[in-house]
């Protein structure tokens, strides 16, 4: 979506891009404003280039997987749609805070802080696994420490390389047999 990714652009007639939050392997995440609801949101848009069909399917799978998992430690997905050019995007809750990776760059966590961070993420993963959803990219960059009501709420992000166990058994897979996916240092 090269022509559409600029501050002030309006996606799907209702999401005005306000600023770039970050970029990853699949695309970019923008702070946006939902014009109809007067609400700040985050939009994840695909990166141009590469195998757009596979990336598009992965983005849709990411949205479906995260939306099925209602848990305080999983980022909420509000919507999935396509730009005027037919490129899918995900609308998620806008989080304020920092990634666990950024926090760890400043030093180690105390034992108490580590447990308070890891337990909600472990509960979120247990819910995902009980529903046949495997995240496959658990790492400090994909754990966000959201500032909510004057406390930190760990949130699991980026279901971009998720594996749905039931779907893969019944209807093929986006991952080839023998192919490794994820961040090598955390696999």
């Amino acid at each position: 979506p090269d022509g559409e990714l600029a501050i002030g652009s309006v996606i799907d007639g209702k999401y005005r891009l306000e600023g770039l939050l970050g970029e990853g392997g699949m695309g970019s995440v923008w702070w946006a404003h939902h014009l109809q609801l007067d609400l700040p949101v985050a939009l994840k848009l695909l990166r141009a280039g590469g195998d757009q069909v596979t990336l598009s399917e992965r983005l849709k799978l990411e949205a479906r997987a995260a939306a099925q998992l209602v848990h305080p430690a999983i980022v909420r997905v509000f919507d999935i749609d396509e730009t005027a050019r037919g490129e899918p995007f995900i609308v998620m809750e806008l989080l304020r805070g920092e990634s666990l990776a950024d926090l760890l760059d400043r030093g180690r966590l105390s034992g108490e802080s580590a447990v308070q961070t890891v337990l909600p993420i472990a509960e979120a993963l247990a819910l995902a696994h009980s529903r046949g959803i495997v995240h496959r990219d658990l790492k400090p960059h994909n754990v966000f420490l959201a500032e909510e009501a004057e406390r930190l709420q760990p949130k699991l992000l980026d279901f971009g390389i998720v594996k749905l166990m039931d779907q893969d058994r019944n209807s093929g897979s986006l991952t080839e047999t023998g192919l490794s996916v994820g961040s090598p240092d955390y696999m």
Side-chain angles (χ1 to χ4, degrees), residues 76-110:
R76 290 181 314 183
V77 172
F78 299 136
D79 197 8
I80 184 167
D81 210 333
E82 292 184 354
T83 66
R85 295 169 47 168
E87 297 149 331
F89 62 90
I90 301 174
V91 182
M92 302 172 286
E93 68 180 309
L94 179 64
L95 302 174
R96 306 241 186 257
E98 67 180 334
S99 73
L100 178 58
D102 291 340
L103 179 64
L104 291 173
D105 283 345
R106 294 193 307 272
R108 298 178 74 163
L109 294 178
S110 69

Side-chain angles (χ1 to χ4, degrees), residues 27-87:
S28 56
V29 178
W30 290 76
W31 163 40
H33 190 82
H34 190 304
L35 299 171
Q36 296 169 346
L37 296 178
D38 191 24
L39 179 74
V41 294
L43 258 68
K44 184 173 186 175
L45 295 124
L46 283 181
R47 178 184 311 282
D51 180 355
Q52 288 298 303
V53 173
T54 299
L55 289 176
S56 176
E57 287 305 311
R58 279 213 175 277
L59 191 72
K60 290 174 185 175
L61 184 62
E62 172 181 359
R64 283 192 305 268
Q68 290 176 24
L69 302 172
V70 178
H71 190 280
I74 296 175
V75 66
R76 290 181 314 183
V77 172
F78 299 136
D79 197 8
I80 184 167
D81 210 333
E82 292 184 354
T83 66
R85 295 169 47 168
E87 297 149 331

